Amino acid sequence: TAHLLAADVQQLLHNKFVVILGDSVQRAVYKDLVLLLQKDLLLTPTQLKAKGEESFERDKLVDGGQRGPMHNGIQYREVRQFCSDHHLVRFYFLTRVYSSYLEAILQELQSSQHGPPDVIIMNSCLWDLSRYGPDSWKSYLENLESLFERLGQVLPESCLLVWNTAMPVGKKITAGFLPPEHRPEDSSLRDKVIAANFHSSVEAKKHGFDVLDLHFHFRHAGRHLQRDGVHWDELAHRHLSQLLLAHVADAWGVDLPRRDPVGPWIWDGPARTGPGRGVERQPQASPDQPSMPPAGYRPLLPLPHLPPPPPPLLPLPPHPRPFPFHPVMTRFLFGPRDHFSASDHPFQSDQFSSNHFHSDVPSPTQTGFSFEDDPQPPRPPFPTPYLQRAPVVHRGFPRHLPRGPYVPWGRRPRSSKRQAPSHPQPRPQ
């Protein structure tokens, strides 16, 4: 299973323009990606809850947010951007999947001095289904069709669009975007989200766009759902980033490094919503000074491979056979143990099975997150006369003009399924 560190993500997205569109869950997707582009740390609970702040991990608030009125209405706006020497990531807050505001965003992206985006990551669902009156379901289906038809008209084939299905929601929803009078007393919104994911996936695939089924991947990860029933914790979002980046790499034909997971992003334990949460996180960075890990922080970087210990001296059997060599597991540096220390809960690799990065329909054998003990198949013994070096990661590919399909080092990217537009431009509703 690919497990990407900050250096890997920097190389994969080298000279790339990434745009993320959506609600507060997608804003957390943006934040985790911005953080992972700079350091191997997790988001703090404060960073996850914050909205509209002037700066987050060296990014900038471009429009809306604290520059205007802070509210939970459908007219709320927030545009953020992280820009470094070789990376550009932008976020637009949406309350509706297709509208005149979305049209304005597309026009802005078309006229951008940076050129059209290389990747667009998008989802809009909960606001559409709960904040636009009794005809919200019908409007959502119509807007989905208008959205993907419009995207097929304005986006170049070199732009990879990934539609994220909406994440699962809890039985009881108390998130701020949903006023008490709009909160359902039953599980009707949960059922609507599942139906909406089906229709949006069908519509996206019909127009040749990618679908990443996050609802499938997180359907058994309820321990990492926040108390408001909508948002997710920092471990879930780091796993989401890994799934998303693996999908992008697979679409571009990039071979990712294969390494053991660095830390237990998800573990089978109590819900981490109260005091005593185990993993320390870095404090919020100021705009002018990068954040530093606190004292005793548990780094997420692996140590170099160590030589195997000498085998014990045992009497030889009548017919001697060579002792099988067992490769040494990578050691990781951890800080002081606490109640929910990562070292207390060994990570099961099948919890993060991400072997269907861009498949349209999950296979029957996939289980998303797994919280049961599922031992890995035994590895055949093999001799290792030398120490294994760290895996080599191919550097990200710079843009080429004229823009066209990516031609990576290893294998060719999969061909685009998009067709030339044949319908007139729809009008926002």
Side-chain angles (χ1 to χ4, degrees):
T1 301
H3 185 89
L4 302 183
L5 304 178
D8 307 326
V9 180
Q10 292 168 8
Q11 294 171 0
L12 176 65
L13 300 181
H14 185 80
N15 284 355
K16 294 296 187 289
F17 180 15
V18 181
V19 174
I20 300 176
L21 303 164
D23 56 12
S24 54
V25 175
Q26 302 306 309
R27 177 172 56 208
V29 173
Y30 160 84
K31 286 186 173 182
D32 193 71
L33 179 59
V34 168
L35 181 61
L36 189 53
L37 272 170
Q38 302 176 76
K39 58 190 77 170
D40 291 297
L41 298 177
L42 298 175
L43 292 167
T44 67
T46 301
Q47 290 173 331
L48 280 170
K49 294 179 181 178
K51 81 172 193 177
E53 64 269 41
E54 285 290 341
S55 180
F56 159 80
E57 291 292 339
R58 300 184 181 181
D59 87 333
K60 292 182 179 180
L61 178 66
V62 178
D63 189 27
Q66 294 182 359
R67 296 188 177 186
M70 298 291 292
H71 57 84
N72 290 322
I74 59 176
Q75 299 301 322
Y76 177 74
R77 299 289 182 260
E78 182 178 345
V79 182
R80 315 193 64 87
Q81 180 169 288
F82 169 77
C83 184
S84 67
D85 292 339
H86 297 285
H87 304 95
L88 179 61
V89 186
R90 191 179 298 170
F91 168 74
Y92 295 91
F93 190 92
L94 297 181
T95 65
R96 203 168 199 181
V97 70
Y98 186 71
S99 62
S100 58
Y101 179 59
L102 192 278
E103 274 291 341
I105 293 174
L106 294 178
Q107 294 178 8
E108 179 178 315
L109 295 177
Q110 285 181 287
S111 59
S112 172
Q113 62 178 346
H114 306 284
D118 297 287
V119 184
I120 293 181
I121 301 160
M122 184 175 183
N123 173 264
S124 183
C125 180
L126 294 181
W127 286 75
D128 297 77
L129 300 181
S130 58
R131 297 296 301 273
Y132 286 93
D135 295 330
S136 58
W137 176 256
K138 179 181 177 181
S139 299
Y140 184 62
L141 297 183
E142 294 174 350
N143 286 336
L144 281 174
E145 182 177 355
S146 300
L147 168 74
F148 291 115
E149 185 172 357
R150 185 71 177 120
L151 292 176
Q153 294 172 352
V154 302
L155 296 182
E157 288 192 3
S158 60
C159 177
L160 173 66
L161 184 133
V162 181
W163 174 262
N164 288 342
T165 61
M167 304 272 280
V169 296
K171 295 181 180 179
K172 183 178 181 181
I173 298 177
T174 60
F177 84 96
L178 202 57
E181 61 271 16
H182 292 279
R183 295 172 186 172
E185 298 180 357
D186 52 15
S187 61
S188 58
L189 185 57
R190 301 179 72 189
D191 299 334
K192 286 183 179 179
V193 167
I194 296 175
N197 284 338
F198 170 77
H199 287 283
S200 65
S201 300
V202 169
E203 198 66 34
K205 289 184 290 184
K206 185 174 74 174
H207 289 81
F209 294 113
D210 285 32
V211 175
L212 180 59
D213 195 351
L214 296 179
H215 193 284
F216 167 79
H217 282 287
F218 290 88
R219 71 194 190 281
H220 295 316
R223 289 181 178 87
H224 302 274
L225 185 64
Q226 302 284 15
R227 290 178 178 177
D228 63 8
V230 172
H231 300 96
W232 296 77
D233 68 11
E234 67 283 351
L235 300 178
H237 273 288
R238 180 52 48 90
H239 179 54
L240 193 161
S241 295
Q242 298 288 334
L243 292 171
L244 186 59
L245 292 167
H247 183 111
V248 171
D250 189 69
W252 288 345
V254 177
D255 293 325
L256 294 177
R258 315 293 280 188
R259 61 164 66 90
D260 291 332
V262 175
W265 303 124
I266 303 294
W267 45 269
D268 189 6
R272 297 158 52 101
T273 56
R277 298 168 68 108
V279 180
E280 291 186 78
R281 298 160 189 87
Q282 87 285 7
Q284 176 71 36
S286 64
D288 302 325
Q289 183 178 4
S291 62
M292 299 297 292
Y297 180 76
R298 187 176 299 108
L300 300 178
L301 293 175
L303 293 177
H305 290 273
L306 300 178
L313 297 178
L314 299 176
L316 295 177
H319 300 284
R321 296 175 181 271
F323 288 99
F325 176 84
H326 298 282
V328 178
M329 298 298 293
T330 306
R331 295 181 59 186
F332 307 109
L333 180 62
F334 292 97
R337 294 161 62 102
D338 49 31
H339 295 293
F340 300 126
S341 172
S343 58
D344 292 335
H345 302 272
F347 173 78
Q348 302 294 328
S349 65
D350 61 312
Q351 294 175 1
F352 286 156
S353 176
S354 53
N355 55 353
H356 82 291
F357 300 135
H358 62 87
S359 59
D360 295 329
V361 180
S363 67
T365 60
Q366 292 165 342
T367 59
F369 282 105
S370 172
F371 298 100
E372 300 177 357
D373 292 331
D374 186 10
Q376 298 189 28
R379 297 181 179 179
F382 59 92
T384 306
Y386 58 90
L387 295 180
Q388 296 181 349
R389 297 183 178 274
V392 177
V393 183
H394 296 304
R395 188 161 186 80
F397 314 115
R399 297 187 182 184
H400 299 279
L401 296 176
R403 301 176 61 84
Y406 295 99
V407 183
W409 297 108
R411 49 197 169 86
R412 292 188 58 82
R414 50 188 169 84
S415 58
S416 174
K417 300 179 182 179
R418 292 163 54 187
Q419 300 177 354
S422 57
H423 302 285
Q425 173 181 336
R427 288 183 172 274
Q429 299 181 4

